[in-house]
Amino acid sequence: TRYFVDHRKVRVVGGQGGGGGHSFHSEPRKIFGGPDGGNGGDGGHVILKADRQTKSLFSILPFYQGFHGERGGSKNCYGANGAYLYVKVPVGTLVKEDGQVVADLTQHGEEYVAAYGGAGGKGNRFFLSNENRAPTLFTPGEPGQERVLHLELKTTAHAGLVGFPNAGKSSLLRAISRAKPAVAAYPFTTLNPHVGIVHYQDYEQVAVADIPGLIKGAHQNRGLGMAFLRHIERCGFFLYVVDLSVPQPWTQLQDLKYELEQYKKGLSERPCVVIGNKIDLAESRINLPLLKEQIDDRVIALSALTGHNLEELFFHLRELYDTYVKTEESRGQSPVKW
């Protein structure tokens, strides 16, 4: 079973540099040929590379060692450099060292050198000079850089589904995409983030993330607290999913925005739309006009179970996505593409 893992502690060590060569040229009828020990090769780096095909930190090992450089040879032959060791991580991986962020890999193919390889040693040929015509000095290769890094995955999606447990987020994601999150009649059915892709006729793709359900006090790490909020942070806009069948559904929206704001200031002010789910129930049809009176945000009433009014959601989702793309381009940043 492959589990979803969103944080890892990993020790990385660069490759050892190869030692310098120590030899003197030997050839018939050529006395005092001089030193010809070549330099050693540099050790290989350990490089983290963002890859969109990797979806979890599950495959990340606790230790990585770079390849060593080769020793310098005779006849002025230099040792080969150690090959680079590439470690694939998901797009959206945050790299921390001693609590400080040192890299944020948000684009496919982006690289970060986690540990530099050591420099190769010098052969005795390097120390040849007019004052010393037969040097015997040579140096060993330097050890590679050693670091302990903390990798933290924050799901990179355009839209985030925000709602309380059993509000219907997973059912809605199943209805609008090919993602297959678990659906059941008990709280916290979704324990890991799921990303579904909504396809449009012009080949644009909008990524929608289904995050584990939120409860009161999530910013204090209650329930699945930080496991939810860490992944919602990167989303460009939110889809608040409200269960219309419960009494006073507008209080759910107030509690959701409060938890987001307590976790990170300004998070609740991002573009959003309120989705009133379960409109197929009689209680929901009574609560819908009351909800629209209490809030200023746009409300889309639908049923993830029957598929009622999903067209309006598709249309408005594309509007939010186009606005997000224009905003990112106006800032000089490249929007996330799937």
Side-chain angles (χ1 to χ4, degrees), residues 172 175-177 197-200 206 300 302 307 309-320:
L172 181 60
I176 64 177
S177 71
I197 308 299
V198 180
H199 299 268
Y200 288 90
V206 180
I300 299 177
L302 54 79
N309 206 27
L310 285 180
E311 295 81 3
E312 185 179 355
L313 174 60
F314 284 126
F315 179 77
H316 193 62
L317 181 63
R318 181 58 188 269
E319 287 184 346
L320 289 171

Side-chain angles (χ1 to χ4, degrees), residues 139-205:
T139 59
E142 296 181 1
Q145 184 183 19
E146 182 174 352
R147 304 170 72 186
V148 177
L149 302 175
H150 293 265
L151 306 183
E152 185 178 295
L153 175 60
K154 294 184 178 180
T155 304
T156 303
H158 300 121
L161 292 173
V162 185
F164 284 102
N166 287 112
K169 301 184 300 299
S170 298
S171 300
L172 181 60
L173 189 66
R174 277 174 167 259
I176 64 177
S177 71
R178 295 180 181 177
K180 300 297 180 185
V183 175
Y186 55 84
F188 296 112
T189 310
T190 303
L191 297 177
N192 302 313
H194 294 268
V195 179
I197 308 299
V198 180
H199 299 268
Y200 288 90
Q201 291 183 350
D202 59 352
Y203 303 105
E204 282 287 359
Q205 300 181 17

